[in-house]
Amino acid sequence: MSLIAKELKLRYAPVAIIFTDEKPEGALQFKEERWGCVMALFTAAAKGQTAVFDRQTFGCRGGGVGLGFGNQYEVFPGGIEYFLSTGRGEGYREGEAYKKTPELARSFVEQLPITDIPYTYVVFTPLEKVDLQKETPQLVCFYANPDQLSALVVLANYDRPGNDSVIIPFGAGCHTVCLIPYQEARRERPRAVVGITDISARPMVDPDILSFTVPYKMFLEMEANVPGSFLEKHAWERVKKRIPDPQ
């Protein structure tokens, strides 16, 4: 079991995000060309199941982008910049008003680290189920309440200079859980990403939960830093006492 998960008394298991060309048996998967929210299956993985996606089963255009399956926004009906902002009018979906103007929405999309991963599948599975002799996760994601998130932020900065080892960017839930953390994993000094601040994705998680995603290498560093850290001190014990034991 992860030392972090144990010490923080996480409600849900840390989730490994794996890019692979092998499809896991018995995994949850959306039907081809059918709508679904990636975060719904991510929550299922946090509860112990395994989920898989490919280029025909990513659920929605945003999900395809968020999972690293290329620029699915290029063919968004009516234009993604209108859907994210004011809408385009009769015959198209209502605008979400997450950006004030289509121009601002277009700027946001253009700045996303859109990528097309060289793998067939993206897999979400509880970290404890991963056979590390056979595969290595790209990312590890925690579901955390405010107290637990506070500890994760401190731990991410524990053995680094400065105070900017964690970011909380604007984006879709799957952007902040997968796409943006994957960009961070390719940086010389990667940062953790706090996410699921996407209003559309919030109904897929408990009301007191946010995500905290790190590249796998950074996860290992944080795990190794648990002994001797603030997590063994009195200040954390005071906070830990009020976190319910996981069921």
Side-chain angles (χ1 to χ4, degrees):
M1 182 180 185
S2 160
L3 291 177
I4 296 172
K6 181 179 180 180
E7 186 58 43
L8 271 57
K9 299 198 292 185
L10 293 179
R11 188 182 313 161
Y12 300 113
V15 173
I17 300 175
I18 302 169
F19 299 163
T20 180
D21 291 319
E22 296 185 14
K23 183 177 180 180
E25 294 183 5
L28 299 175
Q29 186 175 20
F30 291 134
K31 293 182 178 179
E32 290 191 16
E33 308 300 331
R34 294 290 296 274
W35 185 91
C37 180
V38 167
M39 297 315 304
L41 292 193
F42 192 92
T43 295
K47 293 180 178 180
Q49 300 187 71
T50 296
V52 65
F53 307 85
D54 60 29
R55 284 168 176 78
Q56 286 72 50
T57 62
F58 47 64
C60 76
R61 297 293 176 189
V65 171
L67 292 169
F69 290 137
N71 191 358
Q72 304 297 326
Y73 290 142
E74 291 180 329
V75 292
F76 196 94
I80 186 63
E81 66 269 35
Y82 290 95
F83 176 65
L84 292 174
S85 58
T86 59
R88 194 155 199 166
E90 187 176 352
Y92 295 98
R93 295 177 66 182
E94 181 183 13
E96 291 184 308
Y98 290 152
K99 284 290 188 177
K100 188 172 184 178
T101 67
E103 292 75 20
L104 289 172
R106 171 53 58 184
S107 176
F108 156 68
V109 171
E110 290 174 349
Q111 292 178 42
L112 283 172
I114 294 174
T115 188
D116 199 336
I117 60 172
Y119 298 91
T120 306
Y121 302 105
V122 175
V123 176
F124 296 161
T125 193
L127 180 62
E128 59 191 20
K129 288 187 176 182
V130 178
D131 185 348
L132 297 175
Q133 301 300 316
K134 296 181 179 179
E135 54 191 354
T136 301
Q138 270 72 27
L139 308 165
V140 175
C141 181
F142 302 90
Y143 270 179
N145 69 21
D147 285 339
Q148 295 160 336
L149 183 62
S150 299
L152 288 166
V153 170
V154 176
L155 189 60
N157 284 279
Y158 174 65
D159 68 344
R160 294 185 174 195
N163 64 349
D164 60 348
S165 293
V166 181
I167 60 174
I168 181 166
F170 168 74
C174 49
H175 293 167
T176 56
V177 164
C178 188
L179 180 69
I180 297 173
Y182 181 55
Q183 178 195 36
E184 289 296 322
R186 291 176 287 176
R187 289 165 50 103
E188 182 176 348
R189 186 173 177 271
R191 299 166 294 181
V193 179
V194 176
I196 318 186
T197 55
D198 174 10
I199 304 303
S200 296
R202 290 302 304 165
M204 307 298 169
V205 299
D206 296 345
D208 63 336
I209 288 291
L210 289 171
S211 63
F212 183 95
T213 308
V214 291
Y216 184 63
K217 181 180 179 181
M218 189 173 178
F219 164 75
L220 294 178
E221 293 171 356
M222 291 173 64
E223 279 279 291
N225 281 327
V226 170
S229 74
F230 68 97
L231 292 172
E232 296 179 346
K233 300 295 184 178
H234 177 66
W236 171 246
E237 284 299 321
R238 290 182 61 195
V239 177
K240 183 179 178 180
K241 288 179 181 177
R242 67 186 191 184
I243 300 175
D245 291 328
Q247 299 298 316

